[in-house]
Amino acid sequence: MAIPAIQLSLSGERFQVLYTIAGDKQEALEKAEAICVEQTVEFPQDLLPPGSLRDEILGRIEAFHPVDRDHYQAWVSYAVDIAGSELPQLLNVIFGNTSIKPGIRVERLELPQCLLDAFKGPRFGRSGLRQFLKVYDRPLLCTALKPMGLGPKDLAHLAYQFALGGIDIIKDDHGIADQSFSRFKERIQLCAASVEKANRETGLGCIYVANIMAPFDQIMDRAKYAKAEGAKGLLIPPGLVGFDLMRCLAEDDNLALPIIYHPAFQGSFVTSKEQGISPYVLMGQLCRLAGADCSIFPNYGGRFSITREECQAIVEGSEVPMGHIKPIFPTPGGGMLADLKPEFRQMYGTDVIYLIGGGMFRIGPDLVSNCRIWLEQVGGIRS
Amino acid sequence: MAIPAIQLSLSGERFQVLYTIAGDKQEALEKAEAICVEQTVEFPQDLLPPGSLRDEILGRIEAFHPVDRDHYQAWVSYAVDIAGSELPQLLNVIFGNTSIKPGIRVERLELPQCLLDAFKGPRFGRSGLRQFLKVYDRPLLCTALKPMGLGPKDLAHLAYQFALGGIDIIKDDHGIADQSFSRFKERIQLCAASVEKANRETGLGCIYVANIMAPFDQIMDRAKYAKAEGAKGLLIPPGLVGFDLMRCLAEDDNLALPIIYHPAFQGSFVTSKEQGISPYVLMGQLCRLAGADCSIFPNYGGRFSITREECQAIVEGSEVPMGHIKPIFPTPGGGMLADLKPEFRQMYGTDVIYLIGGGMFRIGPDLVSNCRIWLEQVGGIRS
């Protein structure tokens, strides 16, 4: 026999992934069985010898039920041992090759404590970030430095006005990188200093969050530089730099900064309900596992086509119990207008960060006043 | 005015992205205009002052034409200066936020030489890899070490048999990571040594390609370790570790190893024709820009649902002129059976690597013979 029969000493613990599968019952069941093979042995099942390969390494369908006539859901379990304690390999087992098969979506994760133990999760989470900001009882406000094209001085002047106006978190727009017309180092210095100056004047604790996206071999240096120059948080797009980089930054005790997740280049996971990864998992569970304290996503009713239900699902994924992995802030943005709709207040409640970009410029000509008007809407400057 | 009017000194050079957009003419044109904003200033267009922000930073529709009644295509150009010389930011400009909008697909890239100059591309490419392997005039054969669950000794024994049988490239399966039952270091040592031993016996130059996927802070060490222990290539899944890591590894003169791209966790880009990134760009143009020498993709007619036309498009993307960026090997796999269909020969010609995994076990009980039978199909052992 080409493949030897083996008996492994595994932990016996398994994690579970809920997949939504398009098709009639027979098709969906066949696809679920194919997932069990594809995500593990990736080998013709009939050529597998008896023993651990079949009994433990192979994925296992734990439950299978209909959603509607054309969709079924399967809970598939995997030995925790095949993911080890490494995030890239965990993601690989959850959806690596199966991502290439249409009509299959990752819907939920159930990770046992022994697997969660491999990850620290968000350093701050909701309550930690509130302590960091000293704002305890109202929604938080975030805005973005843009448009791309402005130089460091102009961006810093915007930052100063936003901070004077009482915004809690001022982040670089995700497209503000290290460009000839706006260099990373100068921008970090000037923006961090501007926010600090405004804080001295207001007595508030606004933080500047730096976009440190960079080539692989420069990104840790940018993070250290940002910290040294006074940035108080890091903006990370895992679609462009990898989920595990975010985990590394979050777990780094020398940085010890809040992390904001940005969904750039990951939209293809969530633009179809028939495939990809649910917003609940991608922007909720995975973000937390990878150490984000805030998860940016497009709010419904803005310029993206996400639904209210999907936003609600992200909120749920941001707080569903996951052992020691803290709940994080849902951070809806992307076309938030000049006023806060009552339905947003109702849905998001208090534990939310509203990300207002262009909308911050819409109210009137004075940015500082605009910020204060927004702040009044979420409960006022003294919280 | 909140946003100052500015005049920048930019290069004047622009790169172009072809997007396919779902919708009627009016809708598609509006979506194209939205792309110009979303991928650059990400700011209300009516609030932009005159000057460089409007004239140069903003994306520009260079051409717009129908594909069919419900689909249009737009060539959008961007100032090369906004991508700088950084791959993550280039990807961000191409598809960052727009990935979140349904009905938009990246179809083609046109990158001017000044932008290509920022990237070395594949170190080997087709002709370099042929010289490295000393196989000049037939398709190459690749197989994968699996199933997951086997220990280093069993995997090394498989590697030995494959190498004896004359396979050109033996790679770790992408799910073979660093697991309690199969540790990375021992696997690399034993597999590299086995292949070397077989090469001494056969006089051939089979190479062992190591899967070095790892946490962010360990991956360069794994690459160095693999090289030091005799691995002659690296397997990289950019969906799990980031495209720019692949570029870094490819450009590292101390490693100087062939790079094989693996599509794990990137399937959601290509499972819909209505959105995401075309296989031509993802597995062709982007792979090359990021330094892969071989691009693995699921062959049509196997267990994935990719079409013949998409495979053909990947071949085209793997060789379309891109300045000094070399053509690379299309590497179809994923359910290749025991015999090479004439239509594959016809379509892929000579410059292809066939990746045969489980199919290598299907021909008969003796792996070495099975390899030789495969080798005969592509032109025999002496090339």
Side-chain angles (χ1 to χ4, degrees):
Chain A
M1 179 177 297
I3 303 299
I6 52 170
Q7 210 57 48
L8 299 169
S9 301
L10 301 185
S11 66
E13 299 263 10
R14 298 178 79 83
F15 68 96
Q16 297 199 29
V17 181
L18 179 67
Y19 299 95
T20 300
I21 305 172
D24 62 27
K25 189 173 181 183
Q26 182 60 25
E27 276 176 277
L29 194 58
E30 281 169 16
K31 283 189 190 176
E33 282 162 359
I35 291 170
C36 294
V37 177
E38 192 70 52
Q39 296 308 103
T40 59
V41 291
E42 211 195 322
F43 199 81
Q45 210 172 336
D46 59 299
L47 297 180
L48 285 181
S52 292
L53 295 180
R54 278 176 183 275
D55 301 340
E56 298 186 90
I57 299 292
L58 205 62
R60 194 186 291 161
I61 300 174
E62 303 285 352
F64 182 81
H65 58 265
V67 180
D68 57 37
R69 267 182 54 178
D70 305 317
H71 296 85
Y72 287 76
Q73 288 191 328
W75 279 104
V76 175
S77 77
Y78 303 101
V80 295
D81 316 70
I82 71 175
S85 55
E86 302 185 349
L87 185 59
Q89 175 62 4
L90 176 61
L91 298 173
N92 196 18
V93 175
I94 292 170
F95 202 46
N97 265 11
T98 292
S99 73
I100 312 172
K101 295 186 171 181
I104 300 174
R105 188 162 98 145
V106 174
E107 211 64 59
R108 291 283 186 281
L109 307 178
E110 279 286 340
L111 309 176
Q113 189 58 45
C114 68
L115 200 157
L116 293 175
D117 283 343
F119 304 99
K120 291 186 185 171
R123 177 177 293 269
F124 296 87
R126 290 187 190 171
S127 64
L129 190 59
R130 285 197 178 280
Q131 284 172 27
F132 194 77
L133 291 167
K134 299 191 176 60
V135 179
Y136 299 98
D137 55 2
R138 60 162 172 82
L140 300 172
L141 288 184
C142 177
T143 192
L145 299 175
K146 53 184 175 183
M148 174 196 280
L150 294 188
K153 282 180 194 152
D154 288 329
L155 293 171
H157 183 58
L158 288 178
Y160 177 69
Q161 295 172 83
F162 288 139
L164 270 191
I167 297 296
D168 303 297
I169 301 172
I170 299 169
K171 72 169 188 69
D172 291 327
D173 200 34
H174 74 288
I176 308 289
D178 181 40
Q179 290 129 330
S180 61
F181 47 82
S182 194
R183 285 295 174 199
F184 171 79
K185 289 191 173 180
E186 191 185 355
R187 177 183 91 238
I188 301 297
Q189 281 177 11
L190 297 185
C191 291
S194 285
V195 170
E196 196 45 46
K197 179 167 181 281
N199 282 343
R200 282 195 301 272
E201 296 173 29
T202 60
L204 298 173
C206 169
I207 64 170
Y208 167 57
V209 173
N211 177 15
I212 58 158
M213 184 175 70
F216 174 86
D217 47 352
Q218 297 173 39
I219 202 157
M220 288 308 289
D221 287 343
R222 283 207 198 160
K224 288 175 197 163
Y225 183 87
K227 161 105 180 179
E229 292 296 328
K232 295 277 195 297
L234 304 172
L235 180 76
I236 308 292
L240 293 162
V241 296
F243 258 119
D244 201 65
L245 166 72
M246 192 160 81
R247 181 200 58 78
C248 258
L249 292 166
E251 295 186 358
D252 188 323
D253 291 333
N254 294 316
L255 290 171
L257 290 176
I259 306 283
I260 301 184
Y261 159 89
H262 193 285
F265 213 71
Q266 284 193 325
S268 298
F269 286 123
V270 296
T271 38
S272 164
K273 289 203 179 28
E274 295 260 319
Q275 51 215 34
I277 303 178
S278 71
Y280 177 98
V281 169
L282 186 71
M283 290 141 171
Q285 291 185 296
L286 285 182
C287 267
R288 289 165 70 192
L289 205 60
D293 299 290
C294 316
S295 172
I296 293 178
F297 60 91
N299 199 15
Y300 70 100
R303 64 182 193 276
F304 295 89
S305 63
I306 192 168
T307 64
R308 186 182 196 285
E309 291 64 39
E310 288 171 312
C311 293
Q312 181 63 47
I314 295 169
V315 173
E316 288 165 20
S318 77
E319 63 190 14
V320 61
M322 285 174 70
H324 64 284
I325 308 288
K326 299 177 179 125
I328 63 174
F329 275 107
T331 307
M336 299 281 291
L337 297 175
D339 60 322
L340 184 58
K341 292 187 191 172
E343 65 179 285
F344 294 158
R345 287 176 200 266
Q346 194 179 357
M347 179 166 123
Y348 292 115
T350 304
D351 276 341
V352 61
I353 301 175
Y354 290 112
L355 169 57
I356 302 107
M360 200 61 90
F361 293 80
R362 282 270 183 229
I363 308 173
D366 179 43
L367 269 190
V368 179
S369 309
N370 293 356
C371 295
R372 288 181 181 151
I373 289 168
W374 249 104
L375 206 57
E376 284 307 317
Q377 296 188 61
V378 296
I381 209 158
R382 294 294 163 200
S383 64
Chain B
M1 178 179 298
I3 303 298
I6 52 170
Q7 210 57 48
L8 299 170
S9 300
L10 301 186
S11 67
E13 299 264 7
R14 300 178 77 83
F15 68 96
Q16 297 198 30
V17 182
L18 179 66
Y19 299 95
T20 301
I21 305 172
D24 63 25
K25 189 172 180 181
Q26 182 61 26
E27 275 176 276
L29 194 58
E30 282 169 15
K31 283 188 190 177
E33 283 162 0
I35 291 171
C36 294
V37 177
E38 192 70 53
Q39 296 308 103
T40 59
V41 291
E42 212 196 321
F43 198 82
Q45 209 171 337
D46 59 299
L47 298 179
L48 285 181
S52 292
L53 295 180
R54 278 176 182 276
D55 301 340
E56 298 186 89
I57 299 291
L58 204 62
R60 193 186 292 160
I61 299 173
E62 303 285 352
F64 182 81
H65 57 267
V67 181
D68 56 36
R69 267 183 54 179
D70 305 316
H71 295 86
Y72 286 76
Q73 288 191 327
W75 278 104
V76 175
S77 76
Y78 304 101
V80 296
D81 317 69
I82 70 174
S85 55
E86 302 186 350
L87 185 59
Q89 175 63 2
L90 177 61
L91 298 174
N92 196 17
V93 175
I94 292 169
F95 202 46
N97 265 12
T98 291
S99 72
I100 313 173
K101 295 186 171 180
I104 300 175
R105 186 162 99 144
V106 174
E107 211 64 61
R108 290 284 186 281
L109 306 178
E110 279 286 340
L111 309 176
Q113 190 58 45
C114 68
L115 200 156
L116 293 175
D117 283 343
F119 304 99
K120 292 186 182 170
R123 177 178 294 268
F124 296 86
R126 290 187 190 172
S127 64
L129 190 59
R130 285 197 177 281
Q131 284 172 27
F132 194 77
L133 292 167
K134 299 191 176 59
V135 179
Y136 299 99
D137 55 3
R138 59 161 172 82
L140 299 171
L141 289 183
C142 177
T143 192
L145 299 176
K146 54 183 173 181
M148 175 197 280
L150 294 187
K153 281 180 194 152
D154 288 330
L155 293 170
H157 183 59
L158 288 177
Y160 177 69
Q161 295 172 85
F162 288 140
L164 271 191
I167 297 297
D168 303 298
I169 300 171
I170 298 169
K171 72 169 188 70
D172 291 326
D173 200 34
H174 74 287
I176 307 289
D178 181 38
Q179 290 129 330
S180 60
F181 47 81
S182 192
R183 285 293 174 199
F184 171 79
K185 289 191 173 180
E186 191 185 355
R187 179 183 90 237
I188 301 297
Q189 281 178 10
L190 297 185
C191 291
S194 284
V195 170
E196 197 44 44
K197 179 167 181 282
N199 282 344
R200 283 196 300 272
E201 296 172 29
T202 60
L204 298 173
C206 170
I207 64 170
Y208 167 58
V209 173
N211 177 16
I212 58 158
M213 184 175 70
F216 175 86
D217 47 352
Q218 296 174 39
I219 201 155
M220 289 307 288
D221 288 343
R222 283 205 197 162
K224 288 176 197 162
Y225 183 88
K227 162 103 179 179
E229 292 296 327
K232 295 279 195 297
L234 303 172
L235 180 77
I236 308 293
L240 294 162
V241 295
F243 257 118
D244 200 65
L245 166 73
M246 191 159 83
R247 182 200 57 78
C248 258
L249 292 166
E251 294 186 358
D252 188 325
D253 291 333
N254 293 316
L255 289 171
L257 290 177
I259 306 283
I260 301 183
Y261 159 89
H262 194 285
F265 213 70
Q266 284 193 326
S268 299
F269 287 123
V270 296
T271 39
S272 164
K273 290 202 178 29
E274 295 260 319
Q275 51 215 33
I277 303 178
S278 70
Y280 177 98
V281 169
L282 185 72
M283 289 143 172
Q285 290 185 296
L286 285 182
C287 267
R288 289 165 69 191
L289 205 60
D293 298 290
C294 316
S295 172
I296 292 178
F297 60 91
N299 199 15
Y300 71 100
R303 64 181 192 275
F304 295 89
S305 63
I306 192 167
T307 64
R308 186 183 196 285
E309 291 63 38
E310 287 171 312
C311 293
Q312 181 63 48
I314 294 169
V315 173
E316 288 165 20
S318 77
E319 62 190 16
V320 61
M322 284 174 69
H324 64 284
I325 309 287
K326 299 178 179 125
I328 63 174
F329 276 106
T331 307
M336 299 280 291
L337 298 175
D339 61 322
L340 185 58
K341 292 187 192 171
E343 65 178 285
F344 294 157
R345 289 175 199 267
Q346 196 179 355
M347 181 167 121
Y348 292 116
T350 304
D351 276 342
V352 62
I353 301 175
Y354 290 112
L355 169 56
I356 303 108
M360 200 60 91
F361 293 80
R362 283 269 182 229
I363 308 173
D366 179 43
L367 269 190
V368 180
S369 309
N370 293 357
C371 295
R372 288 181 181 151
I373 290 168
W374 249 104
L375 206 58
E376 284 306 317
Q377 296 190 62
V378 296
I381 209 159
R382 295 294 165 200
S383 65

